[in-house]
Amino acid sequence: MDRGFLSNIELKTFKGRIYYALAVGFLLILALIVIFPFVYAFTSGLKGSIEIFKSGLNIIPRKAQWHNYSQAWESFKMLKLFRNSFIIVIGSVLLRMTVSVMAAFSLSHLRPFGRQLVMMAFLLTLMIPSIAYLVPLFVTLGNLPIIHKSILDSYWGLWLPYAADAFAIFVLKSFFDRIPSDITDSAKIDGASSFQTLVYIILPLSRSIIIILSILSFMNIWKDFLLPYLVISDPERQPITVRLFYVAKDYGVNVQMAAAFMALLPPLLIAILMQRYLKAGLTMGSIKG
Amino acid sequence: MKITYPLHATHFVDRSFSGLAYRLSRHITGYLFLIPAIIVFGLVAWYPIVRAFQMSFQEVSLLGESKNVGFENYELIEKDPARKVLFENSLEFASWSILLGYAVPVVVAILVREMRFGKGFFRIVYFLPSVVPVSIAVIVWRFIYDPDAGVLNELLKLFGIKGQLWLYDVKLAKPSIVAVMTWGTFGTTTLIYLSSLLDIPTELYEAAELDGASPLMRIRHITLPHLAPVMSLLFVIQILAVVQVFTEPYLFTKGGPGRETLTPVMHIYNRAFGRADMGYAAAWSVVLVIILMVFSSFYQLFNHRVAARQQN
């Protein structure tokens, strides 16, 4: 590894070694603090209902009560909660990517009349915080203009709001802009329609950016609380993030912890498995107001 | 890479692709591909944005007709006793969040950058809390903060410190919530700083070392100036985000104890969905957004001034 602000030779001196050991120590302690809630949820989920209230720093349970986990799984109906979350998130990501890819392709390669204006109108939504129009959004979803139907309490009420993401359009457009138009032109000469150009030329070339955006969207939508909390009031359809919080109070703390730990696993697993893509996407994705 | 065609070939391309019929069909297909996005944005963004302004001048009734009331909603905001509380709470939340969370990612990123092994390990570990849904984190954290059986008070007991009420304490409620928010977001910020640090050419450090600059001077004169633009941007983003916070205080304390953790967005939420006073809530959101925009443009103006002065 190349040097940082300290050179490798400086690190080998006595002072350098002390500094390095202190830095590693600090980072490891910080890592412990950061991971602690996960570990604490896991081990508290294994404790008995009396043991969990015992005083003293007993992180590790005396005897692991694995049945807490199966009890939590059963009584919170976690399978259904996970299923609801997945339906909401996967539907939203698919719709968002479809809508954004098509719009970005049009803005970047078909370049119709007035495209700058359309792009500005998309980007405007990034500048206005979503709280500004949360209330009218709720009213709109409850009474759609023209057709006068309510999509509150249906998954469309979440899929549609999540599908509008100017950031994805912006990133995809900048990526498509770098694909030379000679490639799309030659496809056109060979008789490909715009749709074929998009599917057979553009999409394969931009697979990586689409995967990155999909993962980022997946995590952000999975995490979201306020919108699903407002839109879906039917407990049978609520995602895990909304439902679990409200039913948790009715059970013992140890069962709560077991359920919380299980609910943490899917996003954690995805973050760890997909970290190769995340690394590239995060720096790009997080500077978003 | 730019592919160049022989002259006669581009001529052929130009002629067949520039006819009126071709251009017209290109604009039409262009808009065909834009239609889904335009419909979706219109429905869930543009129309609600316009409606927000409209509703702020109305007494909104969900069933019957809405009534125009002029500036009445805005006049009510001026009389709202919560106004002062919200302003103070936002200021305190922002201060706590800067105090507890602003410097941490910078320091951590500089330290991780210096690691010769295990960079990837730290990166992923610090990032993990960022993927955790707030509502699930709150279930775990409120037990950590529990005054009777929580691990935090047990830990304090080891050092002979009296247990605290944390979320139920007037003084500690805000910092306790901000600590959880910092836990959940500092990893992402660290990654942003880290990727900026990796852009610094190592030759700069080498040259500084040859000139006899101590490690601290290198940080002071190379690392920090390089990070300055990102730090300045993240400063304003962090303040904008924390003023708009809702989920953490809502789930932890519902705004309590008293009104200690009531935030502007929670106030809007309570008015709109608790009391069904949508027009008043819309007026509040318009006011909030204008304040935030004025703040960020003043901040940017100030920033430009400082940057311009430094260059002279």
Side-chain angles (χ1 to χ4, degrees):
Chain A
M1 182 58 217
D2 56 341
R3 60 170 293 156
F5 70 88
L6 292 172
S7 69
N8 288 338
I9 298 166
E10 276 178 313
L11 276 181
K12 293 229 167 63
T13 63
F14 180 66
K15 263 169 126 182
R17 275 168 208 265
I18 288 186
Y19 159 78
Y20 197 76
L22 285 177
V24 172
F26 172 78
L27 290 178
L28 280 177
I29 290 174
L30 188 66
L32 270 180
I33 298 173
V34 167
I35 299 195
F36 178 74
F38 300 103
V39 179
Y40 190 54
F42 177 66
T43 57
S44 305
L46 288 175
K47 288 180 186 169
S49 47
I50 297 165
E51 191 187 357
I52 196 160
F53 286 113
K54 246 180 54 186
S55 66
L57 259 192
N58 35 359
I59 312 276
I60 312 290
R62 202 148 351 103
K63 190 173 169 294
Q65 315 268 327
W66 288 102
H67 61 84
N68 285 346
Y69 277 83
S70 50
Q71 193 202 331
W73 184 266
E74 294 291 325
S75 38
F76 292 120
K77 302 196 185 105
M78 297 213 26
L79 190 65
K80 197 180 68 192
L81 297 183
F82 274 128
R83 200 202 58 195
N84 291 347
S85 272
F86 272 108
I87 293 176
I88 291 168
V89 177
I90 290 177
S92 305
V93 172
L94 285 180
L95 198 61
R96 175 185 284 186
M97 292 323 287
T98 315
V99 166
S100 308
V101 162
M102 285 173 68
F105 173 69
S106 167
L107 292 170
S108 168
H109 283 271
L110 301 173
R111 307 169 72 78
F113 172 76
R115 62 181 178 281
Q116 288 95 342
L117 204 69
V118 178
M119 191 66 202
M120 288 255 291
F122 287 148
L123 290 181
L124 176 81
T125 61
L126 284 186
M127 281 174 252
I128 299 180
S130 57
I131 176 63
Y133 50 96
L134 182 76
V135 178
L137 172 66
F138 178 81
V139 176
T140 309
L141 295 176
N143 184 8
L144 291 183
I146 303 162
I147 52 176
H148 293 294
K149 257 186 72 176
S150 166
I151 48 173
L152 292 176
D153 251 336
S154 92
Y155 289 142
W156 282 106
L158 291 174
W159 287 335
L160 288 179
Y162 284 136
D165 182 15
F167 176 74
I169 296 181
F170 176 73
V171 170
L172 285 168
K173 182 187 174 291
S174 347
F175 193 88
F176 291 169
D177 281 344
R178 283 195 308 231
I179 297 176
S181 58
D182 306 282
I183 296 181
T184 48
D185 282 346
S186 58
K188 228 175 281 173
I189 296 171
D190 288 342
S193 68
S194 299
F195 185 72
Q196 284 169 323
T197 315
L198 174 61
V199 172
Y200 295 111
I201 313 279
I202 302 286
L203 284 189
L205 284 174
S206 43
R207 206 174 47 203
S208 61
I209 192 77
I210 292 177
I211 293 177
I212 289 173
L213 282 174
S214 306
I215 297 171
L216 287 176
S217 304
F218 186 98
M219 309 244 246
N220 286 334
I221 299 173
W222 183 284
K223 272 181 75 170
D224 200 16
F225 177 81
L226 184 50
L227 195 65
Y229 176 60
L230 286 179
V231 171
I232 311 282
S233 47
D234 176 7
E236 293 297 306
R237 296 166 149 263
Q238 277 173 338
I240 190 157
T241 44
V242 175
R243 189 71 195 143
L244 193 58
F245 185 82
Y246 281 91
V247 284
K249 288 180 198 136
D250 306 340
Y251 295 86
V253 180
N254 48 348
V255 183
Q256 280 184 34
M257 290 295 134
F261 183 74
M262 285 190 281
L264 290 177
L265 285 179
L268 282 187
L269 282 180
I270 288 171
I272 292 170
L273 291 179
M274 297 291 178
Q275 58 155 318
R276 185 161 66 97
Y277 293 106
L278 269 177
K279 215 158 66 180
L282 272 169
T283 43
M284 163 192 91
S286 34
I287 307 198
K288 172 188 171 185
Chain B
M1 191 189 71
K2 187 87 184 153
I3 306 163
T4 44
Y5 289 101
L7 202 58
H8 61 273
T10 48
H11 179 240
F12 156 76
V13 170
D14 280 347
R15 203 177 45 198
S16 70
F17 281 171
S18 60
L20 184 67
Y22 167 74
R23 262 188 295 167
L24 198 63
S25 85
R26 197 193 57 170
H27 292 310
I28 292 174
T29 18
Y31 273 98
L32 280 180
F33 277 81
L34 276 174
I35 278 179
I38 289 177
I39 291 179
V40 169
F41 273 81
L43 189 70
V44 304
W46 300 330
Y47 178 66
I49 290 173
V50 176
R51 281 283 283 149
F53 278 101
Q54 195 194 11
M55 278 167 71
S56 71
F57 295 104
Q58 285 177 333
E59 194 185 310
V60 180
S61 152
L62 286 182
L63 302 169
E65 285 292 295
S66 298
K67 193 167 82 211
N68 280 325
V69 292
F71 281 92
E72 204 172 281
N73 288 324
Y74 291 97
E75 280 158 19
L76 279 175
I77 289 181
E78 222 175 324
K79 291 184 203 132
D80 195 333
R83 204 173 49 139
K84 195 161 152 276
V85 177
L86 294 177
F87 182 74
E88 285 169 1
N89 282 352
S90 299
L91 204 64
E92 281 176 49
F93 263 122
S95 314
W96 275 116
S97 137
I98 295 297
L99 199 69
L100 293 181
Y102 186 61
V104 177
V106 182
V107 174
V108 173
I110 292 177
L111 291 181
V112 171
R113 168 68 184 85
E114 217 52 31
M115 290 291 111
R116 298 300 194 262
F117 302 98
K119 270 201 189 88
F121 167 77
F122 289 120
R123 225 179 342 219
I124 186 82
V125 165
Y126 296 150
F127 172 68
L128 283 183
S130 313
V131 303
V132 171
V134 174
S135 56
I136 311 290
V138 167
I139 298 179
V140 179
W141 275 97
R142 72 178 171 200
F143 184 53
I144 293 179
Y145 278 138
D146 193 285
D148 297 324
V151 69
L152 202 55
N153 275 349
E154 299 294 341
L155 195 70
L156 288 184
K157 245 185 241 165
L158 284 188
F159 296 101
I161 305 171
K162 210 168 83 246
Q164 301 290 328
L165 289 172
W166 302 113
L167 296 165
Y168 307 101
D169 186 294
V170 176
K171 288 227 172 62
L172 287 175
K174 280 192 198 94
S176 306
I177 291 176
V178 170
V180 177
M181 285 159 58
T182 308
W183 172 79
T185 51
F186 92 99
T188 321
T189 327
T190 304
L191 289 182
I192 296 171
Y193 285 129
L194 205 51
S195 79
S196 169
L197 283 178
L198 290 171
D199 291 340
I200 302 180
T202 50
E203 289 82 1
L204 279 181
Y205 290 127
E206 261 158 37
E209 195 188 339
L210 285 178
D211 288 344
S214 71
L216 273 179
M217 279 162 79
R218 282 171 237 161
I219 294 184
R220 165 77 185 75
H221 293 287
I222 300 176
T223 317
L224 290 182
H226 181 86
L227 289 182
V230 188
M231 284 176 70
S232 143
L233 181 65
L234 289 179
F235 182 81
V236 70
I237 288 182
Q238 188 175 343
I239 289 185
L240 292 183
V242 83
V243 171
Q244 292 177 64
V245 70
F246 168 81
T247 314
E248 284 93 346
Y250 181 73
L251 295 183
F252 267 127
T253 58
K254 284 242 174 188
R259 280 170 159 182
E260 268 321 298
T261 56
L262 188 74
T263 66
V265 177
M266 208 191 298
H267 190 57
I268 293 171
Y269 171 88
N270 288 339
R271 287 311 177 117
F273 303 105
R275 300 204 195 169
D277 200 350
M278 303 264 175
Y280 187 61
W284 254 109
S285 19
V286 171
V287 169
L288 176 64
V289 168
I290 289 175
I291 291 176
L292 291 179
M293 283 183 160
V294 168
F295 164 72
S296 61
S297 35
F298 264 113
Y299 179 80
Q300 265 157 13
L301 197 73
F302 170 75
N303 239 4
H304 279 300
R305 285 274 171 79
V306 172
R309 192 169 303 165
Q310 274 170 353
Q311 273 174 355
N312 291 335

